Structure formats: structure tokens, C-alpha cells
Amino acid sequence: MDFGGGGRPGEKVDEGVLMNEVQSTLRAQLVQEFYQTVRDKCFKMCITSPGTSLSSSDQKCLSRCMDRYQDATNIVTKAIVNQ
């Protein structure tokens, strides 16, 4: 298949290599989005009094929040993959 954008004119791009690159980029974006969401939403929900350290209740809340978000992300990912 000729995508015509990269390399020399008329050069064929290996579809498998291209697919691997796209999947790798998507995985990196999903990981980045996951950590942004955990940081933003869980911090807002769990950290009531920002300070120099986290209380044990803040740590537990953050851990539970992250676990719940990760579980939800896994469920959605499985549903998308199984379509």
C-alpha cells in the first residue's frame, strides 16, 4: 500500500510496521490520559488540605480512586477490543 507521505516517492510502507507504530502511539496516549485523569480528578476528590505530606486517609482515598479508574478503563478497553 502506498501512503505517499513518508520516505521516498512511491516507496511502499509495511502495513504491519505502520500498525505497530499507531498502536504504540495510542497506548502512550492512553497511559498519559490515565495519569492526567487520576492526578486531576483524584487529587480534587481526595486531597482536602494540601500540605507537605499526605495523610493516611488521603493516601487511601488516592489509592482507591486510582484503582476504580483503572478498573473502569480496563472494562472500556475490553469492550472496545471485543467489538
Side-chain angles (χ1 to χ4, degrees), residues 2-47:
D2 186 1
F3 292 95
R8 292 173 288 222
E11 183 180 354
K12 302 279 185 193
V13 176
D14 183 337
E15 289 183 39
V17 171
L18 182 61
M19 184 59 80
N20 286 339
E21 289 176 12
V22 169
Q23 288 174 342
S24 178
T25 300
L26 287 173
R27 278 192 295 273
Q29 288 175 338
L30 286 172
V31 168
Q32 183 179 14
E33 181 182 335
F34 172 77
Y35 285 111
Q36 271 183 315
T37 300
V38 168
R39 182 186 63 231
D40 296 343
K41 292 187 178 192
C42 294
F43 184 87
K44 287 177 185 175
M45 183 175 76
C46 295
I47 309 301

Side-chain angles (χ1 to χ4, degrees), residues 39 42-63:
R39 182 186 63 231
C42 294
F43 184 87
K44 287 177 185 175
M45 183 175 76
C46 295
I47 309 301
T48 55
S49 303
T52 58
S53 63
L54 296 173
S55 70
S56 63
S57 62
D58 290 344
Q59 290 176 10
K60 288 177 188 174
C61 181
L62 287 169
S63 179

